[in-house]
Amino acid sequence: MSTSISSPKPPIEKNDWRLTVAPMMDWTDRHCRYFHRLLSPHARLYTEMVTSAALVRGKQLRLLEHSQQEHPVALQLGGSEPAELAIAARYGAEAGYDEINLNVGCPSDRVQSGRFGACLMREPALVGDCVKAMRDAVDVPVTVKCRIGVDDQDEYADLQHFTETMIAAGVEVLVVHARKAWLQGLSPKENREIPPLDYERVYRLKREFPELVVVINGGITTVEQVQAHLERVDGVMLGRAAYHDPYVLARVEAALYGEPMPERDDVLRRMRPYIEAELARGTALKHISRHLLGLYQGEPGARGFRRRLSEGAHLPGADWALIEQAVAQPRIAA
């Protein structure tokens, strides 16, 4: 997948980013992405953040494992060493990922200590060098996910300069979490909730850089919100809503693409071949079933469904029969 600097890149199709599901640590693993794909045929899915060091120095290439059914799927990388990121990006492209995304938004202490994530908002030139190195290494799109600001660097001019630097480096798709990050004093969870959302700043970015594909992220939970944002930007990225209430993906699919909304029970049954294949290779059911817990969110019997899976999935020998029993819970309660 390696290319020379002069090699032309395939053109970007902005509609490919119309609906996306955010990279979420400890959540969007390969089992979760397979499940989300059943609910959303069109959404662009993202891996959890994988550090370039884990791939290049740690040789943990198992972190790149994914199913062919997940596509389109993007690999999100964390790092700040251009040469190392280039190698990691090449590994990702060779593994078949459709996009390589650089994390410039995560505010956790672990990420800061490694000089990547949201702290890189302060170093746009370095991010630009990283992007250039990655673009020179792969044919697939190299994108960036960032915040609208960080700490006291909170003027629109800072985000504007960061964006100009990204475009100069070759970025054609920018995913913007519409909150700034506080690197000191707030936990990662608090950073997802306390800094106020500023959607207008992201809209302004799109107006001023119309050639850039701008995807908005942060606090988006309903079909109506998705549709409203798409009148102002090119794409929407759903985060926690897609995890805690995954059926929202089916609702958005129906609204944006006219896809018929599947029955929740049918979605689970379509998981059966995958689950049984994973069990056969030694995967414990709990590693898959934890992603299914929100499927009946808001429906009669949802609590019984969650309880049945939560109580049984960790037991030795837990298999598809437990899923069947859990599926029966909503019917009984309804």
Side-chain angles (χ1 to χ4, degrees):
M1 295 296 295
S2 176
T3 67
S4 66
I5 294 176
S6 61
S7 297
K9 304 291 184 183
I12 289 287
E13 180 57 60
K14 71 176 184 179
N15 285 335
D16 290 348
W17 282 268
R18 194 177 182 206
L19 173 62
T20 64
V21 179
M24 292 177 279
M25 290 298 293
D26 300 320
W27 287 0
T28 52
D29 63 15
R30 61 190 179 90
H31 309 309
C32 176
R33 298 192 303 268
Y34 188 97
F35 173 52
H36 282 174
R37 178 58 69 219
L38 297 181
L39 289 160
S40 180
H42 291 90
R44 197 172 191 89
L45 306 178
Y46 285 73
T47 68
E48 304 169 88
M49 183 187 68
V50 178
T51 67
S52 56
L55 295 179
V56 178
R57 287 178 259 166
K59 300 298 181 184
Q60 297 183 52
L61 297 184
R62 60 176 179 78
L63 297 173
L64 299 178
E65 184 178 356
H66 64 284
S67 165
Q68 288 303 307
Q69 282 70 35
E70 294 176 33
H71 294 281
V73 60
L75 169 67
Q76 188 184 67
L77 292 175
S80 59
E81 295 290 337
E84 185 175 84
L85 280 165
I87 296 171
R90 189 177 302 120
Y91 286 159
E94 289 172 350
Y97 283 94
D98 303 294
E99 169 193 340
I100 309 297
N101 177 267
L102 181 62
N103 184 319
V104 190
C106 181
S108 76
D109 292 339
R110 183 173 68 87
V111 167
Q112 291 180 57
S113 67
R115 198 189 176 199
F116 55 94
C119 63
L120 286 177
M121 292 289 294
R122 296 198 191 105
E123 300 185 76
L126 174 59
V127 179
D129 290 342
C130 292
V131 167
K132 288 176 184 176
M134 295 161 73
R135 278 179 50 83
D136 289 346
V138 301
D139 287 329
V140 299
V142 174
T143 66
V144 169
K145 186 173 189 290
C146 67
R147 295 278 185 139
I148 58 172
V150 58
D151 294 338
D152 294 325
Q153 181 183 301
D154 191 27
E155 298 296 325
Y156 176 76
D158 297 313
L159 179 61
Q160 185 182 49
H161 173 63
F162 180 86
T163 301
E164 290 170 343
T165 306
M166 295 306 98
I167 292 173
V171 168
E172 297 175 87
V173 179
L174 189 66
V175 182
V176 186
H177 187 154
R179 286 186 176 93
K180 76 172 183 178
W182 282 105
L183 299 183
Q184 302 295 330
L186 293 182
S187 70
K189 180 178 185 296
E190 290 169 332
N191 260 299
R192 294 191 297 266
E193 298 170 351
I194 293 178
L197 287 160
D198 188 349
Y199 294 136
E200 183 53 45
R201 189 174 295 192
V202 185
Y203 298 157
R204 181 179 174 183
L205 203 66
K206 177 59 187 177
R207 290 195 302 270
E208 295 187 4
F209 300 95
E211 76 283 6
L212 182 68
V213 176
V214 176
V215 180
I216 197 166
N217 171 230
I220 303 166
T221 61
T222 69
V223 172
E224 293 75 21
Q225 290 170 349
V226 169
Q227 292 171 319
H229 285 303
L230 287 175
E231 294 178 1
R232 312 289 292 277
V233 293
D234 302 296
V236 169
M237 177 172 276
L238 297 176
R240 286 167 290 163
Y243 193 84
H244 292 306
D245 183 15
Y247 199 68
V248 71
L249 291 172
R251 297 188 192 100
V252 175
E253 279 281 341
L256 298 188
Y257 302 102
E259 290 284 344
M261 291 172 61
E263 295 291 332
R264 290 173 173 85
D265 294 0
D266 290 340
V267 172
L268 278 183
R269 292 198 174 91
R270 289 171 63 197
M271 283 290 294
R272 181 172 185 170
Y274 179 85
I275 289 174
E276 292 187 332
E278 285 294 322
L279 294 177
R281 63 183 291 198
T283 302
L285 181 63
K286 64 182 180 181
H287 296 309
I288 306 172
S289 62
R290 68 189 184 97
H291 303 302
L292 313 178
L293 296 177
L295 181 59
Y296 292 90
Q297 179 72 23
E299 293 293 297
R303 184 176 299 177
F305 174 78
R306 292 193 300 269
R307 183 174 61 247
R308 188 72 187 89
L309 279 189
S310 298
E311 291 176 352
H314 69 282
L315 298 175
D319 59 14
W320 175 255
L322 177 68
I323 305 289
E324 289 281 13
Q325 294 163 15
V327 170
Q329 297 293 318
R331 292 198 187 97
I332 293 170

